[in-house]
Amino acid sequence: MALPGGLAGVVVTGDFIDAAGYPMAGRITFTPTADLTDPGSSLTIPAVTRVYTLSRGQFTSDPLIATDNSSVTPSGWAYTVTISLRDLDPISYEILLPQGATPVDLASLTPVVAQPAVSAYLTLAGGTLAGTLILDGSPYPLKIPGGSPAAGDVLT
């Protein structure tokens, strides 16, 4: 099935075998990390989970919306992939599905590493921070740079 609104899609495939080479049973799910909209076509795309059952250890997805479609908002979204195989705990991670060659093998996709949110920062030229400043880094103790009124003092 073609995607609506002229959106680019990507088909994902995968093969799952055990250590003895036997096909595994289970399912693979893909869930967008955000509800999407395409303002150009007035299209709303809820973050609905798509489930694919392994058949003889293999699956092929429907065309999934590419994560780099320029008309879709918000930008920066991904898919949460959950692999649930018989007799194993499920594993989940996030991936990007850029436009390009399709189908793409799930094993070739690199999981996205989430970056921690930045809550406050000071510019290199100085500034004022209201609230608590938590310094998390190395090496300790931390010296205050030269040129400031407290230059050379040690922060512990």
Side-chain angles (χ1 to χ4, degrees):
M1 175 179 169
L3 293 171
L7 295 172
V10 179
V11 173
V12 181
T13 62
D15 295 299
F16 293 84
I17 60 170
D18 66 15
Y22 291 103
M24 299 189 75
R27 65 183 190 184
I28 313 301
T29 63
F30 293 84
T31 307
T33 57
D35 291 330
L36 308 173
T37 57
D38 182 2
S41 65
S42 300
L43 188 63
T44 300
I45 308 160
V48 175
T49 299
R50 301 289 303 159
V51 180
Y52 301 96
T53 301
L54 296 179
S55 173
R56 296 185 188 134
Q58 301 177 331
F59 83 97
T60 300
S61 77
D62 298 307
L64 300 170
I65 296 171
T67 55
D68 62 350
N69 274 290
S70 61
S71 63
V72 174
T73 59
S75 62
W77 65 280
Y79 283 98
T80 299
V81 176
T82 301
I83 301 172
S84 303
L85 302 173
R86 184 180 294 154
D87 300 325
L88 297 174
D89 291 333
I91 59 168
S92 295
Y93 55 91
E94 292 182 359
I95 60 166
L96 298 176
L97 286 180
Q99 300 176 46
T102 187
V104 62
D105 189 331
L106 182 60
S108 71
L109 298 172
T110 304
V112 175
V113 178
Q115 297 297 316
V118 175
S119 57
Y121 65 93
L122 294 174
T123 63
L124 290 177
T128 302
L129 172 70
T132 304
L133 173 63
I134 299 172
L135 301 173
D136 184 17
S138 291
Y140 286 107
L142 179 66
K143 286 195 166 200
I144 297 173
S148 69
D153 289 348
V154 175
L155 234 52
T156 55

